[in-house]
Amino acid sequence: MTPWHRNEYILKGLFLGLWVFFALQVPADSKAAWLDIAWVMGWVCTGLAVGYGLGMARLMSRGLKPWQNWRAFPILVLLESPLYIYSGIMIGLAFGVLSGREFAQPWAGPIANLFGLSWEDIKHLQSTALPDDDPQKGKLPGDWLGYCAVAGALAGYGLYRMRQMQDGRMRFLLGIGIAALVVYLASEFISQVPTLETAEARRNLGIYILLGLPFFYLLTFSGEAEESEVEIMTICAAMGVALYLLGLESTIPGVGGAGPFLLPLAIYFVYVTRVLHGLRTFKHILRGFSYMNLERLALAIRFFRRALELQPTSPLANQGMVTLHNNLTLSKLERDPDLVEELDFGLCLDRASALLMVPPTSEAREEADKFLNLVEQKKPAYMARVDYLRVVSFLHAKQYDTASETLGRLLSPETPGYHSVVRKQVLFDAWFLALDGPKKLVESLGWAELNKPGRRMEAIAAVERKLAAEPTHDKAKEYKTMLYSQLTEGEFISVAAAGTPKDFSYEYVEQLGQQLVDDNDPERRERGMAYLRMAGRGLPERAPGIFKKLADVTEKHGDPQTARTYLDQIKRCGEVVGPRNLAKDQRDIYLKTLQKLAGFAESAGDAIKAEADAADAHGDAQIRIAKDAEAKPHFEEAIDNLHLYRNGGGGDLREMYRKVAELYAKMRDPLNGLINVAAAMQYDSNDSDLLKKRDSYYYSLPIERLAAAKENIGSWFDVGYCVRKAMSVLNARDADAELLDWATHLCRLAKVMEPGSNRVRLIEARCLLRRGERDAGLTILEDIRESPKGSGEEEESWYNTTKLLGQLYLDELGRPDLALKAYIDYKEFHKSGADTLFQIAKCYEAMGDTPSAIKFYDAVTAYEEHPRYWDAKEALKRLKGGG
């Protein structure tokens, strides 16, 4: 915003301050009030008339004549004379205010007499007329001129600062708040102003405030600063105060005291949201049309351009800009050199086109050429359109060689200097001239031009853009049929290397391909396949179906290797688009293709693995390792495809996981095979084949491999399975060495995952004992006994360990003292009973403590149904008889 914009706001604030000052002087008597109002309104209107007259004289001195456009000129005076309008209104108001002061009586009194008024009718009530001891001295509204003027100027500056806020939403909300606050403050305190004690006095004040609003809006309308929320906020605040003073809340039923608030706020909301933007644009349009009618074209363009910045779709602003450029002549440009810098050169080219599209006269062609030269100099970005219009001009002049040279340059994508967007706009028309223009031009360029690199694809793009804009264009449809029928896949690929062509009908080439791909003629069939390959590049959402068709055709004609490449294309398309984004039929094709590719990869891996197995059978480990490494990528490819199948929403995941497990087994990777078996068993935990695979993979899993993957395997490794399976082996009396080795292996696997587990270490100790490694087994048992009991299975395992140690100490190691301690501890376990008491008695007997032994044997006999009952009876008989 400029300094003058700031001054405009300060003057508007000063206007409000002076207007409020005089409004406070209006007497309560209705007749006297209207005399005062008429007096000040007369001064303001006189000042406005003088300012308007000076503004009109200024415009006329610059060459503008009212009779050139009687409708536009009066509004133009308001819009282009803000200094005079502001000065006229402010000076008129100042005279109206000052004429009532005592010092103005010598000149104001005679003027009042001319209109039939006396000094008493126009003078202000000031404290100077009161005695010194009057309590009202210094408090009358007539004494407030300085306060009102300063307050008004400060308010104007505040409006200016508010206008500078960039956030329109904040200005809007702040305007609502300020307007409501002003009305509230007035309703609370205005009755305390001397001379406003009566309702009649307040009503007169309200009328006077309302009469000032048109002048304030005229200041806003004529100002250079664009109108914003702050002006309508001020008007609505003043309106709310005036409505309160007029007693709106008592005159409109149902409104109550909220009326002075709600009505102005409603006007503010509607004006800002529905009117302000359009009115601001309209003022610029109005200025533009006014200047255009007065032949001030440079200024007219500026205002039209500003209107289009505010509202790009404004039909009036666009109409004005187009009309102005359509009526341009070189003589107008010569008269106004500044106009050249303001021109819209696109519209200048429209003007040149209008001159050339009908057979032009030599003068019209010369004028069009000058427009083209002007645009070339000032706006080189339009060079492609300039060259096209020059070709038209050359053709009108029968200069065919020059036209051919210029058109060839325009048709070549290698020509430097053309703006790509502008060139695309004229390319269809350029091809039309080359293919269907004058005979000599067609002979020079014509259809042969299409065979040059990149030309046919550019011509197709131009045709597609034309049909998008005009779907019924007959010549464009004719060109489309011809161009696509001649298109080769090589031409398409050379352009597609830089990115998928946009202005290209992939649906159309798909139709062409479907018509030819099943033809018995190999040449026509290959052409159809080429069309489908082009379509597949640009229609990724339909590409699975397109490439499946190609795969089926090539496989049918004995080319499975090429068919495999089309299947790979389906896979890539699914990954790019996302299988969830494909239509159901296309997703089904994608998923089936993944299964098929997985089968191909597995078959290739199986063939190599068969060689590895054969080498292994002959004891050639080196060849086996090499063949395994060779087969591994094929199995990994199969696994990747199956994972894509799963992620794409493929069904029967149990079978998918089963197949992946088998593939890992073929890669000699039992750990990943085990993980996938566990995943498959989530869908059926009783599947016999899966159970068998689980046993096999646990048996084949190296301990070192599990230790390396311990942190990542998580819950997929089942420690409980290892414990249960090892227990089943240990509980079998006829378990051979191989089974014991299996059980030991399972224990060690479990120990990798839970190294401090009591249950795992107990099973390991039992395995060692069964294998004859008594010391190692005993050491583990003693370690368990020194460990915390834990809870649940861990606690039970600790007690079972204690019991087992008691048996070993008593029966094998000859340490009844240690056995006794173990059994005493085990006795605390809820599963202990008569058998435990019997063993404690045996320990006492072995230690020579007969009374204690008799005590515990006797306790056993309390369990008459227990198998140890008779053993205890025999022991008691033995001990008591020996005694």
Side-chain angles (χ1 to χ4, degrees), residues 557-757:
H557 290 87
D559 190 356
Q561 194 63 35
T562 303
R564 171 70 184 272
T565 63
Y566 289 131
L567 295 179
D568 288 333
Q569 289 279 13
I570 296 173
K571 174 183 173 181
R572 282 193 288 271
C573 290
E575 292 173 346
V576 171
V577 177
R580 307 285 182 178
N581 298 323
L582 292 171
K584 184 179 183 305
D585 60 328
Q586 301 296 316
R587 184 167 64 250
D588 290 344
I589 293 172
Y590 168 72
L591 294 174
K592 290 178 181 177
T593 299
L594 291 175
Q595 289 179 303
K596 198 169 186 178
L597 287 172
F600 288 155
E602 182 181 10
S603 297
D606 284 342
I608 300 171
K609 186 175 183 301
E611 298 178 23
D613 292 340
D616 191 37
H618 289 87
D620 196 335
Q622 187 173 359
I623 293 179
R624 180 189 67 78
I625 293 172
K627 289 298 180 179
D628 280 343
E630 185 180 348
K632 183 178 180 181
H634 297 285
F635 293 132
E636 288 177 338
E637 180 185 351
I639 291 171
D640 289 341
N641 286 326
L642 290 174
H643 284 319
L644 289 174
Y645 173 84
R646 177 198 62 196
N647 296 334
D652 200 354
L653 294 182
R654 181 188 63 172
E655 294 306 314
M656 188 278 298
Y657 283 120
R658 188 198 307 272
K659 175 55 70 175
V660 172
E662 292 172 354
L663 290 168
Y664 276 118
K666 292 177 180 181
M667 293 166 60
R668 307 184 196 279
D669 184 355
L671 179 59
N672 279 307
L674 185 62
I675 292 173
N676 282 274
V677 164
M681 291 182 70
Q682 292 182 113
Y683 301 94
D684 185 356
S685 61
N686 297 316
D687 186 299
S688 59
D689 177 65
L690 293 175
L691 293 171
K692 182 179 179 181
K693 283 182 168 59
R694 181 176 66 173
D695 290 344
S696 173
Y697 298 157
Y698 271 107
Y699 180 77
S700 304
L701 178 59
I703 294 173
E704 299 78 11
R705 175 82 169 90
L706 178 62
K710 174 183 176 181
E711 300 300 326
N712 300 320
I713 194 171
S715 62
W716 294 114
F717 187 91
D718 189 352
V719 174
Y721 163 81
C722 293
V723 172
R724 291 190 302 273
K725 185 62 69 172
M727 282 285 292
S728 67
V729 172
L730 293 172
N731 292 336
R733 295 184 179 276
D734 57 348
D736 56 19
E738 185 176 354
L739 285 175
L740 289 174
D741 287 343
W742 181 27
T744 303
H745 178 71
L746 290 174
C747 291
R748 289 173 178 171
L749 290 176
K751 193 173 182 180
V752 170
M753 302 303 294
E754 296 182 7
S757 170

Side-chain angles (χ1 to χ4, degrees), residues 426 482 615:
V426 299
M482 178 273 299

Side-chain angles (χ1 to χ4, degrees), residues 304-546:
F304 284 136
R305 185 170 289 135
R306 177 55 183 160
L308 289 170
E309 289 175 2
L310 294 173
Q311 190 176 345
T313 60
S314 170
L316 276 176
N318 281 295
Q319 177 189 343
M321 187 71 87
V322 171
T323 301
L324 187 153
H325 284 80
N326 285 345
N327 291 323
L328 280 177
T329 61
L330 291 177
S331 60
K332 292 180 180 179
L333 292 174
E334 291 167 357
R335 287 199 306 269
D336 189 357
D338 294 338
L339 178 59
V340 173
E341 303 302 325
E342 300 293 337
L343 290 176
D344 184 317
F345 293 101
L347 294 176
C348 287
L349 291 175
D350 290 342
R351 176 61 177 157
S353 178
L355 292 170
L356 292 173
M357 285 302 111
V358 294
T361 62
S362 58
E363 292 80 7
R365 181 172 170 271
E366 181 180 353
E367 185 168 358
D369 287 342
K370 289 182 179 179
F371 272 114
L372 297 178
N373 292 333
L374 174 67
V375 175
E376 180 181 5
Q377 294 172 8
K378 298 293 184 179
K379 197 73 171 179
Y382 285 108
M383 196 62 208
R385 194 173 173 196
V386 169
D387 277 353
Y388 169 73
L389 291 174
R390 278 183 174 153
V391 171
V392 176
S393 179
F394 291 144
L395 292 176
H396 284 307
K398 312 293 186 186
Q399 298 176 16
Y400 297 112
D401 291 340
T402 308
S404 176
E405 179 184 352
T406 305
L407 185 58
R409 186 169 62 249
L410 179 59
L411 292 176
S412 173
E414 290 84 18
T415 302
Y418 288 141
H419 191 284
S420 61
V421 174
V422 178
R423 181 171 175 269
K424 287 178 181 179
Q425 292 172 353
V426 299
L427 201 54
F428 177 82
D429 295 326
W431 277 110
F432 177 78
L433 289 178
L435 301 177
D436 283 301
K439 182 178 179 181
K440 291 186 178 180
L441 187 64
V442 174
E443 290 175 351
S444 176
L445 297 171
W447 300 101
E449 187 74 12
L450 288 170
N451 294 325
K452 294 181 179 179
R455 301 295 200 277
R456 199 180 321 276
M457 283 295 292
E458 280 215 322
I460 287 174
V463 168
E464 292 296 343
R465 288 191 293 270
K466 187 68 174 179
L467 287 173
E470 301 177 43
T472 60
H473 195 284
D474 292 335
K475 185 56 71 173
K477 291 192 285 187
E478 177 186 333
Y479 286 168
K480 179 174 182 174
T481 302
M482 178 273 299
L483 289 169
Y484 280 107
S485 68
Q486 297 176 351
L487 179 65
T488 66
E489 189 175 14
E491 290 175 319
F492 175 84
I493 291 175
S494 65
V495 175
T500 304
K502 296 184 181 301
D503 299 313
F504 190 87
S505 180
Y506 296 97
E507 293 83 358
Y508 185 68
V509 294
E510 182 186 11
Q511 294 173 11
L512 294 176
Q514 295 289 1
Q515 293 170 5
L516 297 173
V517 74
D518 290 318
D519 201 289
N520 291 326
D521 183 348
E523 185 176 343
R524 287 171 58 81
R525 183 171 62 249
E526 178 53 37
R527 184 153 185 76
M529 294 175 70
Y531 281 134
L532 289 180
R533 286 191 290 270
M534 296 181 215
R537 281 175 172 259
L539 299 173
E541 70 282 355
R542 297 216 300 267
I546 293 172

Side-chain angles (χ1 to χ4, degrees), residues 252-292:
I252 301 180
V255 173
F261 292 91
L262 296 180
L263 183 59
L265 289 181
I267 293 173
Y268 174 82
F269 179 82
V270 172
Y271 188 89
V272 171
T273 58
R274 296 284 185 268
V275 178
L276 178 60
H277 185 70
L279 182 62
R280 190 160 50 189
T281 304
F282 180 72
K283 286 170 65 175
H284 289 292
I285 295 173
L286 197 60
R287 282 174 166 156
F289 275 107
S290 298
Y291 277 115
M292 185 172 71

